[in-house]
Every structure is written in structure tokens, then in C-alpha cells.
Amino acid sequence: FNKTASSGISQYLNGSAELKNIICSSGFENLDLILSTTIPPNPSDLLNSSTFVTLLETLEKTYDYVIIDTPPMGLVIDPLIINKHVDSNIIIIREDYSKLSYLDVIKRINKQNRLGNCGIVLNDSSSAFKHNYSEKYYIDNFSNQTTSTKIKSLFRR
């Protein structure tokens, strides 16, 4: 969005900014943003606060959808804290960019039933997903077995 702000979500959560002062226009109709500015020394504490829960409740009353962009799951604890307060998760995996070790973390967290309603988007994929009809069954042919096999195995129980 190429936006900057002097106050963002951290300042709101630590009490040094008001909500009306951290919401900014994205430049697109019906899309507002709350930016992250400086990284606080205690992000997990701020996300675990009642102020964060109140923020989400307030935003839900004003907006049809509240989308929270987080760091990669497994890199920091933030996504798991936020996960307790959301309806669903969309995990974005970029082929040949996202580390396969992150998929292992996601798989482990999912097996612990800590993801809730979750979907995965494979982004920037050069793999061709082809469906061939044969013997009354669809067979998937993937040109990149490693990534595709990993992703498909994430949610098998």
C-alpha cells in the first residue's frame, strides 16, 4: 500500500494512540488499514491484552471483514495468539520461497488442533495442476512433487 503512519496498532494497544488516529485509508474504496509502525518490546503481551480483544470487537462492529496479516507461523508466537480471536486462518505459501520447515510447524500445530478453521493458498506456483479423467477417477499430476506433496499432507489425519 506504500503507506506510512506515525501511530499504529502497537501505539493503540499500549494506550498512546486512539483508534480514530491509527485507521488510515488504503486508497481503495471500502478498505481501511491499521499499520504496524514500531515493534514494541512486548508484542505478545499486547496481543494477549483485553485491549486487543476490545479492538477486534470494535472493528467487527464497523467493518464487514477484519483481516490481520501476521508474520509466518512458527517464526514468532503472534499468529497463535491472534488465532484465538479469529474465525478462520488463511496461510499463504509461496512456492520456492516459503521455507519447508514452516510447513512442518504448521502441520504440527494443526495436529494439536490449534489452527481452527484454516485454508492454505499456494502462491506464485509454476506447478501445473492438471486433472485427467481416467477410470471414473480424477488423478492429480503435479510437476513439483515436493511442494505439492507437503501441502497435501498438512491436513491429513
Side-chain angles (χ1 to χ4, degrees):
F1 293 100
N2 199 23
K3 299 281 182 179
T4 59
S6 58
S7 296
I9 191 164
S10 297
Q11 289 72 29
Y12 174 79
L13 293 176
N14 73 21
S16 63
E18 294 182 37
L19 182 58
K20 66 181 180 180
N21 295 330
I22 66 167
I23 296 175
C24 64
S25 173
S26 68
F28 294 93
E29 186 177 349
N30 298 318
L31 181 64
D32 290 333
L33 304 171
I34 297 176
L35 301 174
S36 60
T37 51
T38 58
I39 299 172
N42 58 342
S44 299
D45 293 340
L46 293 176
L47 294 173
N48 268 319
S49 71
S50 61
T51 306
F52 180 68
V53 174
T54 302
L55 170 65
L56 292 179
E57 290 170 350
T58 302
L59 294 173
E60 285 177 351
K61 291 175 186 171
T62 306
Y63 295 94
D64 294 329
Y65 300 97
V66 177
I67 300 170
I68 304 170
D69 184 18
T70 67
M73 194 167 293
L75 188 62
V76 292
I77 192 86
D78 301 5
L80 286 176
I81 295 170
I82 292 169
N83 181 52
K84 295 184 277 186
H85 307 290
V86 300
D87 296 325
S88 61
N89 294 287
I90 302 171
I91 298 171
I92 310 294
I93 303 204
R94 184 174 175 188
E95 185 173 337
D96 295 328
Y97 185 84
S98 299
K99 294 182 180 182
L100 289 177
S101 62
Y102 291 160
L103 294 177
D104 291 331
V105 170
I106 293 166
K107 183 175 182 177
R108 186 179 74 246
I109 293 168
N110 184 58
K111 283 187 176 188
Q112 296 168 351
N113 293 318
R114 294 170 60 196
L115 279 183
N117 187 19
C118 183
I120 292 181
V121 174
L122 177 60
N123 194 12
D124 200 19
S125 175
S126 60
S127 299
F129 289 86
K130 298 177 184 175
H131 298 282
N132 298 323
Y133 187 74
S134 172
E135 307 270 336
K136 298 183 183 179
Y137 296 98
Y138 282 100
I139 301 170
D140 291 333
N141 296 315
F142 303 105
S143 62
N144 183 338
Q145 286 293 323
T146 304
T147 303
S148 299
T149 303
K150 272 279 205 200
I151 292 171
K152 285 175 73 176
S153 72
L154 279 176
F155 297 98
R156 287 189 187 143
R157 296 205 187 252

